[in-house]
Every structure is written in structure tokens, then in C-alpha cells.
């Protein structure tokens, strides 16, 4: 009997295995889809034990899934745009007109190729720079080129960043058109550009209509969608305020372009009335068809959660917010307020959010912006009894700090009584933000801080004041045998939190601030000099000499410790900030201020070789000290001595708090004053002589 012809060899064997594995995976996928569809449609006998985000409302509509291909740039175009990118990066243009002409030529060369460039890995960054540096008319042209393709561009790996930058920087053009302050409206009329930026934004929303549910959970599209929502809401666009919303953590920055022309706003913006209606429609369509179960699944989705946070914040803090959430609101669908008050399934959901790394951010937003009645219901049924255990958790402790900010006097005192027994564990696990929040809230509610101070002393195992302070700062402490304790291993973030806790304690009266002052004075001088060169500890030392609770006796002893070490600290990038703050630290101590100035003068050569030393020389007015000592002494006595050195920034001016009276008087101004004084004396003498003649 003839044998079956079969191909042999390792390649064919691997191919057969891959084909068999692919067939099995396809069968499993089809079976899973049928099981899910059966449960959703009510035809299955078993209930699903999970909520999937891969079907139904979260799939793109027909025609949206096919990503078009816009073509590739040829070699000459690639080389041209590469050189243009390099020139913009170096920013070595002779004048502003030369740079504007270069940008106009680049925009002219990119005409008709915008989509290719946005989808190109090498040219997409150039598009971002062009957006940052473009004029209003150029920004409109680029927006018009993208218009009609946004649904595909926002889902592209590289083009999504271009869309994000375009939405962000086109917002200012909308405000300019609305207020009539645009400098290029005349040129727009000359070029017959009739489409406003407002209409371009509204047209973009029409493109997204019907696909917002899918875009919420798309890894690339969710970021431009968040920026678009912020633009429509009129919220500030400053990256400091909305850093986590405006860009992803791994997003690169075009430093030179952004520094050259940053189109961001640090306050509420004026937006057209049509944006409010469009935003309301966008929010309703985004959550349309989503029940409570689907929204709760979105709450723990890594990509969808930030968008849901933003939608909730706008709903709860917008102009149409109400004291009680409406029936169709996101908060009502998410929490089922009536079940929350009864301790139903919403309580279990909120408890899960509190300890979830993703969902806890949403719970923070709810706690911060929820109406008072809703917050009290959530706190009473879910958070009140668990607040002690939650404070110890590495995730839930952030929610606890938000909760403490909204509690009244009686509730705050009751909650802190539940947290106080856990202080030793909070210290061991470096959950110092909770302790800092308790101190600040107790001070705001005018409660007794004595029990808090005693709990801190007990949590750090007592010991000497210096030993306790070093533990607060997260530094290794030498025991009696000379061996370092290894039970407390602190990272840089833990040291920063310890420094912030110490600064919060310094801002309060006795006994909290006394714990820090006693710890500093109990340290050896060598330890203080070493701490002054560490970033976190140096901030605490700066606060100790500039805080309103700092006494003259403490500042006198602390200044004596720095004697003969001023030059050493002045040339240190970190220690120089402490010497800068000592101008305020020596207020009322003229002799100690002169002693520090003399040490700076003796180390002039070393100071002028580093940036921090030069800043100190300028802030302490050392040129005036060397050349006109009496004028420097008069200036030192008249200025109040408060500087910006305590926030870690140079350039605040040695006597910046003294106002106009503390400014150094120039030579020509002194000559004018002497001349004016001589004229007054002469006129007085003449008047006196005339009066004498009349009497005789």
C-alpha cells in the first residue's frame, strides 16, 4: 500500500504546530464570544463573573476600525524635514523675522503632506513643534488639513500626539476670536478664511459622534479626548494644574519649541456658549447606553479611569452642578446613591475602589467634588469605620488625606482618634502624608495639637530629640554600639515626605514646632552641616530659620553653628539655599548677619566660580558691603529680611521683602538728593535773612 506523501523536517513540524495552535485559539475565542453574547442577551444559564470592555459599546462602529494609509514621504522630503527639525531645535536664528520666514517656508513645503508627517515617527515631533510655534492662521490651516480624519488620527501611535498638541494650542485662538483680540483677523479676511476655530472644534465633535464609547478606552485616543474635554469646559490649560490629564507619563517634550512659544493659560478661559452645549452632548453620548455595571468596570480600567475622573469633575464642579445628583448623572449611575445610604452593593464597590491602585484616583475625585450630602452619606456608610485601616494601606492612604480635608470639627476629631493608634505603623511604612494632613486639618479647625505631638514622639520610639529628627528625615541613625539601624530603609521620596512633615510641624505653635527646634539644636554641628547639603533636610533647615514660630534664641544658636562653614555651604548647590535664607534668619541679629557677610566676603574668589555663589553674592548685596559698608549696614537695618530663599530658588533678592524702601540707592540718586538738600538749605538761609531784615 503506497504511503501518504508528507513533508518532513523541523520547519514543517513547527508550521504544523503553529497552525494547530492558531486553530485552537480561534475555537476558544469563538466559544468565549458566544458565551458572552449569551449572557448579555439573557440566553445563558450562568452569569458572567466579570465585566468585559471588549464588546458592545466599546467597539468601534462600522467603518471606524479600518485605518487608512496616507502614504509615505520620499527621501528628499524626509531629509528636508529632518534638517528643519534640527534648525528649530538649535533655535539659532538671527532675528524673529528670519525665524518667521523659515516657519512660513516649512509650512509651505508641508502643504498637502500634513497627514503623512503626523503618522511618521520621525516627522511627528516636527509637527508638534510647528504647532507650538505657529501663528493663528497657520494653526487654522493645519487644523483644517486634519479635519475629517481625526477619528483615525487620534488612534494612531504618533499622530495622536499631534492631535493632542493641536487641541491644546488651538484653544487660545478660540478665546482670541471670541474676545476680538486676535492680531491676525485682518490677514484671515485677506486670505478669505471664513471658518472659525470654534466651528472647527464643533466639526471635530461631529466626527467623534457615535464612537466616544470606544475612544474612552483606546490607549492612544483617550489622551487627545481628555484634552478636548478640558478645552470645551474652559478649565485652565496650565500643565502644572492638569499634568496628569493633558499628557501621558511617558510623553516626550519638545523643549526648545515649548519654551519659545508656550500657548497655555493659567486661569479660567472664556469659551463660546456653543462649547457648553457640545460638552453636555459629548458627556451624554460617551456614557449613553452604559449601565451601572459598565461604568463601574470603567472605573478600574487603566485607560478609561482618567477620562471618567475628568467627566465626573466637570459634572460636579461645573456651572450646572446641583446639591443632589440627578437621575441620569454619572455619579448617580455609578454609585446608586439610594443604595449607598442603605449600605448596599455600592458600599462594596466604594470599598473596592479605595484599595484599588486605579480606582482610588476616581474615589479621590468623588470625595473632593461630591455634594456635601452625598459625601456625608459615603463617609458614614463606607469610610468612617475603615479610615484607620485605610490610613495604613499604600493606596488607600491617599483617599484618607482627601477625606480629612472635608470633615467637620467633630468628625475630624473622631476620625483622628481611630488613626492615632496606627501612628507607629504609619511611620514604619512611611505613610507620613496622612500625619501631615492631620496636623494641617487640626490647625485649620483650631483643635488641640498636643495629642498629635505625643503620638509622633511615641511613634518614633522617643529617644533623644536629634535621634527623633533624623528618623523623621529618613536618615540612618547610629545606635549606641555604633552600628546603623537597618530597620528603616528610606528612599528619596520617603525623605521628601519626612521633610514636608517637619515643615508642617514648624508652621504650628508649641508643642509641634518645639520638637523640630529641639532636634536641630541637639544635633552636633558636623551633622547639621551635612544635613544642609542634602536636598530634603536642607528645606527643613531653611524653614526653621524663616518660619514665624522661629525665635531669636534659636536663630542665634543656629547661626553660631554655621560659623566658619559659610563659604563651604555657599559653594554647594544645595547648601547655598540655606545661606540665602539666613538673611531672613538673622533678622534682628545684626551682629550675626555681619559675621556671615564677612565670611562671604573672605570667600569671594570661590563664590564667583559657581552659580549658587554668584546668586548669594548678588542677594546679600556684597558689592555694596565691600565698597560702601555704612550704606550696606543702613540697608540691612531697614529691610525686614524676608527673602525667597526658603522655597529653594535664588534670585529673590537679599531684602526682597523690604519693598521699594529696601532697594539699593544708586549714585546718581544720592547726588540728586544732596543737590536737593543743598537747595533747600540755601532757600531756608535766604528766607531767614529776609525775615531778620524786616525785624530790624
Amino acid at each position: 500500500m503506497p504511503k501518504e506523501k508528507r513533508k518532513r523536517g523541523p520547519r514543517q513540524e513547527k508550521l504544523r504546530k503553529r497552525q494547530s495552535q492558531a486553530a485552537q485559539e480561534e475555537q476558544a475565542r469563538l466559544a468565549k464570544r458566544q458565551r458572552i453574547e449569551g449572557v448579555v442577551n439573557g440566553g445563558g444559564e450562568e452569569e458572567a463573573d466579570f465585566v468585559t470592555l471588549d464588546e458592545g459599546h466599546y467597539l468601534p462602529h462600522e467603518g471606524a476600525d479600518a485605518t487608512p494609509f496616507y502614504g509615505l514621504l520620499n527621501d528628499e522630503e524626509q531629509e528636508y524635514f529632518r534638517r528643519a527639525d534640527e534648525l528649530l531645535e538649535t533655535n539659532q536664528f538671527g532675528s524673529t523675522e528670519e525665524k518667521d520666514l523659515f516657519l512660513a517656508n516649512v509650512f509651505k513645503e508641508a502643504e498637502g503632506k500634513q497627514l503623512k508627517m503626523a503618522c511618521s515617527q520621525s516627522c511627528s515631533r516636527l509637527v508638534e513643534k510647528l504647532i507650538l510655534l505657529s501663528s493663528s492662521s497657520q494653526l487654522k490651516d493645519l487644523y483644517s488639513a486634519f479635519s475629517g480624519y481625526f477619528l483615525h488620527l487620534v488612534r494612531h501611535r504618533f499622530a495622536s500626539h499631534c492631535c493632542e498638541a493641536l487641541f491644546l494650542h488651538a484653544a487660545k485662538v478660540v478665546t482670541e476670536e471670541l474676545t476680538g483680540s486676535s492680531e491676525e483677523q485682518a490677514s484671515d479676511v485677506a486670505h478669505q478664511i471664513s471658518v472659525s476655530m470654534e466651528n472647527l472644534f464643533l466639526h471635530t465633535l461631529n466626527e467623534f459622534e457615535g464612537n466616544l464609547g470606544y475612544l474612552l478606552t483606546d490607549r492612544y485616543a483617550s489622551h487627545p479626548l481628555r484634552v478636548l474635554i478640558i478645552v470645551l469646559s474652559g478649565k485652565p490649560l496650565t500643565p502644572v494644574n492638569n499634568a496628569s490629564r493633558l499628557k501621558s507619563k511617558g510623553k516626550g517634550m519638545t523643549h526648545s519649541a515649548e519654551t519659545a512659544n508656550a500657548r497655555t493659560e493659567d486661569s479660567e478661559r472664556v469659551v463660546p456658549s456653543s462649547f457648553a452645549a457640545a460638552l453636555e452632548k459629548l458627556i451624554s453620548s460617551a456614557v449613553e447606553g452604559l449601565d451601572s455595571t459598565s461604568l463601574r468596570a470603567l472605573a478600574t480600567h487603566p485607560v478609561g479611569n482618567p477620562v471618567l475622573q475628568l467627566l465626573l469633575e466637570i459634572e460636579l464642579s461645573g456651572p450646572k452642578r446641583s446639591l443632589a445628583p440627578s437621575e441620569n448623572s454619572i455619579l448617580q449611575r455609578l454609585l446608586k446613591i439610594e443604595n449607598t445610604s442603605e449600605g448596599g452593593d455600592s458600599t462594596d464597590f466604594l470599598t473596592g475602589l479605595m484599595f484599588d491602585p486605579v480606582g482610588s484616583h476616581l474615589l479621590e475625585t468623588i470625595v473632593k467634588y461630591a455634594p456635601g450630602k452625598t459625601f456625608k452619606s459615603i463617609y458614614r456608610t463606607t469610610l468612617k469605620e475603615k479610615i484607620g485601616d485605610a490610613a495604613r494601606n499604600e493606596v488607600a492612604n491617599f483617599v484618607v488625606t482627601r477625606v480629612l480635608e472635608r470633615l467637620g470639627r467633630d468628625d475630624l476629631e473622631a476620625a483622628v482618634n481611630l488613626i492615632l493608634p496606627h501612628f507607629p505603623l504609619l511611620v514604619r511604612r512611611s505613610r507620613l502624608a496622612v500625619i501631615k494632613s492631620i496636623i494641617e486639618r487640626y490647625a485649620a479647625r483650631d483643635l488641640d495639637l498636643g495629642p498629635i505631638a505625643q503620638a509622633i514622639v511615641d511613634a518614633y520610639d522617643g529617644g533623644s530629640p536629634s535621634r527623633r529628627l533624623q528618623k523623621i528625615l529618613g536618615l540612618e541613625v547610629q545606635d549606641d554600639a555604633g552600628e546603623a539601624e537597618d530597620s528603616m530603609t528610606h528612599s528619596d521620596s520617603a525623605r521628601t515626605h519626612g521633610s514636608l512633615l517637619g515643615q508642617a510641624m514648624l508652621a504650628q505653635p508649641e508643642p509641634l514646632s518645639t520638637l523640630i527646634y529641639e532636634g536641630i539644636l541637639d544635633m552636633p554641628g558636623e551633622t547639621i552641616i551635612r544635613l544642609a547639603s542634602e536636598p530634603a533636610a536642607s528645606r527643613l533647615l531653611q524653614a526653621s530659620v524663616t518660619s514665624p514660630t522661629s525665635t531669636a534664641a534659636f536663630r542665634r544658636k543656629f547661626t553660631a553653628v554655621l560659623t566658619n562653614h559659610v563659604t563651604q555651604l555657599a559653594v554647594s548647590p544645595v547648601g547655598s539655599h540655606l545661606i540665602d535664607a539666613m538673611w531672613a534668619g538673622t533678622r534682628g541679629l545684626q551682629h550675626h548677619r555681619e559675621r556671615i557677610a564677612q565670611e562671604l566676603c573672605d570667600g569671594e574668589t570661590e563664590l564667583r566660580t559657581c552659580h549658587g555663589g554668584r546668586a548669594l553674592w548678588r542677594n546679600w548685596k556684597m558689592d555694596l558691603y565691600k565698597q560702601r559698608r555704612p550704606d550696606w549696614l543702613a540697608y540691612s537695618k531697614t529691610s525686614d529680611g524676608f527673602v525667597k530663599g526658603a522655597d529653594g530658588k535664588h534670585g529673590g533678592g537679599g531684602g526682597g521683602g523690604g519693598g521699594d524702601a529696601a532697594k539699593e540707592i544708586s549714585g546718581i540718586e544720592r547726588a540728586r538728593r544732596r543737590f536737593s538738600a543743598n537747595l533747600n538749605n540755601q532757600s531756608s538761609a535766604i528766607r531767614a535773612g529776609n525775615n531778620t531784615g524786616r525785624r530790624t
Side-chain angles (χ1 to χ4, degrees), residues 91-102:
N91 196 25
Q92 295 180 351
F93 296 96
S95 61
T96 306
E97 292 76 11
E98 181 181 348
K99 186 175 182 179
D100 293 340
L101 181 60
F102 175 77

Side-chain angles (χ1 to χ4, degrees), residues 9-28:
R11 290 185 179 179
Q12 296 300 323
E13 185 66 23
K14 291 181 181 179
L15 179 61
R16 282 194 296 272
K17 288 183 179 181
R18 285 199 299 267
Q19 291 174 348
S20 176
Q21 185 178 1
Q24 293 176 1
E25 291 177 355
E26 181 66 20
Q27 292 177 0

Side-chain angles (χ1 to χ4, degrees), residues 600-616:
L600 292 175
C601 186
D602 295 340
E604 177 182 2
T605 304
E606 299 179 40
L607 264 63
R608 291 190 181 277
T609 58
C610 62
H611 173 73
R614 290 191 295 270
L616 274 176

Side-chain angles (χ1 to χ4, degrees), residues 393-408:
N393 187 267
E394 62 179 352
V395 174
N397 72 92
F398 296 103
V399 180
V400 172
T401 57
R402 289 292 186 187
V403 172
L404 294 175
E405 293 175 0
R406 293 205 60 176
L407 291 180

Side-chain angles (χ1 to χ4, degrees), residues 498-509:
S499 176
L500 293 175
L501 173 61
Q503 294 175 51
M505 295 171 65
L506 284 173
Q508 309 306 327

